[in-house]
Amino acid sequence: DSPDDVPEDVDDVRSDADSVRFTSFPLALQLVYRLEYFADRFRVPLVPYAKAGLGYAFWYSKGGDGSISVNSADQKARGGVWGFQINAGGMLRLDFLERGSARTLDRATGINHTYIFGEYQFSQLDNFGRPSAISLGDSTFFVGLALEF
């Protein structure tokens, strides 16, 4: 059939699409190492760091009616996958901008240091490469402000 074969009195031959919602909740348990020696000892304001550890992501999918989706084998679309996550980043310690104010902030609020940071994250959440597992890993980049108490 070609588009010319559609009767003129039909405005739309497509049915309304069903909405599907996929949701995942990734969690990670990581070890962290921050190299603060040069920032503390020589006042070099750059602090590199790395994180590594286990990751787990809960997931589910809901169909247009709001219930958990079911496949042709009557299996519900929900579960979880294991994997790993690694992060690498750098922080710029902002104390050098106003040393007196940084000390006053520490005494008044307990905030020892403030940082601007950038971080790259790679996660592979696919039950450690199992072919039948859903893959929920990703790589991304974060930028933000950090406070150290």
Side-chain angles (χ1 to χ4, degrees), residues 19-83:
S19 63
V20 175
R21 176 173 289 178
F22 182 84
T23 306
S24 69
F25 298 100
L27 305 169
L29 179 63
Q30 298 180 302
L31 294 174
V32 180
Y33 179 76
R34 292 191 328 190
L35 181 60
E36 292 184 332
Y37 176 77
F38 297 105
D40 291 340
R41 176 85 188 222
F42 304 110
R43 297 188 182 191
V44 175
L46 298 175
V47 178
Y49 65 93
K51 305 175 189 178
L54 286 174
Y56 187 81
F58 297 97
W59 65 271
Y60 65 87
S61 178
K62 288 188 174 184
D65 63 355
S67 65
I68 298 290
S69 301
V70 178
N71 68 9
S72 60
D74 207 33
Q75 297 170 323
K76 294 193 176 199
R78 64 178 175 207
V81 288
W82 286 98

Side-chain angles (χ1 to χ4, degrees), residues 73-137:
D74 207 33
Q75 297 170 323
K76 294 193 176 199
R78 64 178 175 207
V81 288
W82 286 98
F84 68 91
Q85 181 173 308
I86 55 175
N87 303 48
M91 300 165 59
L92 177 64
R93 187 181 280 184
L94 300 176
D95 296 359
F96 71 92
L97 295 175
E98 186 74 40
R99 294 214 185 275
S101 294
R103 280 189 228 106
T104 303
L105 183 66
D106 189 6
R107 283 192 299 270
T109 65
I111 297 174
N112 304 121
H113 304 288
T114 55
Y115 302 89
I116 293 176
F117 72 91
E119 177 178 322
Y120 173 75
Q121 174 183 299
F122 175 79
S123 62
Q124 185 170 332
L125 304 174
D126 60 358
N127 282 339
F128 300 103
R130 185 175 286 167
S132 62
I134 189 170
S135 179
L136 296 178

